[in-house]
Amino acid sequence: MHSWIVTTTEDRVFVGRRILALMQDPRSDATRLGRLVDAVDSLAETVLETAEVLYEGRGRVTSATQAVTLIGYDRLERLVRRFLREEYARLADDAAEVSAPLMSLVEPRYAAI
């Protein structure tokens, strides 16, 4: 695992978007992508599990770099995009929870205005 772990939803979204951007950079490689994947625990687990399933028990996948190499950039992109959709949904839910109590302060007769 990498020495720093991302914990907030906003930071996870930033790292996910950064991974997608690095995938478009011709100078990037599996090592750089693996470091970023390792920074987000849930994404790292998904990538490692996917690589182990594709590797079909022929050995153990030990790092995110190895997993990125095994699954390829196309599959990694799909995993990161699915991860980002889940994170965006979590952000929307958090925003809805914050705004819902504010609406309860408005009297019902003014709510339609």
Side-chain angles (χ1 to χ4, degrees):
M1 295 297 277
H2 204 270
S3 61
W4 53 277
I5 303 296
V6 176
T7 57
T8 66
T9 304
E10 291 87 4
D11 290 341
R12 287 191 299 264
V13 168
F14 175 78
V15 170
R17 291 178 58 132
R18 184 69 185 131
I19 290 169
L20 291 177
L22 271 177
M23 291 176 69
Q24 302 302 318
D25 186 358
R27 296 171 294 176
S28 71
D29 57 2
T31 304
R32 291 176 75 186
L33 291 169
R35 287 184 194 142
L36 282 175
V37 167
D38 269 341
V40 182
D41 281 339
S42 58
L43 181 59
E45 289 174 16
T46 302
V47 170
L48 287 171
E49 287 173 3
T50 302
E52 286 177 353
V53 167
L54 291 173
Y55 207 44
E56 296 176 345
R58 290 178 275 171
R60 187 161 182 255
V61 180
T62 58
S63 69
T65 301
Q66 182 184 9
V68 169
T69 303
L70 289 171
I71 67 174
Y73 278 20
D74 290 338
R75 187 165 281 124
L76 177 65
E77 182 178 1
R78 287 194 302 268
L79 290 173
V80 172
R81 288 189 186 280
R82 184 177 66 195
F83 167 77
L84 283 173
R85 280 193 300 272
E86 292 168 0
E87 293 301 316
Y88 283 130
R90 185 174 291 129
L91 280 174
D93 289 343
D94 291 345
E97 288 175 7
V98 169
S99 64
L102 295 177
M103 287 304 294
S104 65
L105 297 176
V106 178
E107 290 187 35
R109 63 181 175 182
Y110 297 116
I113 296 177

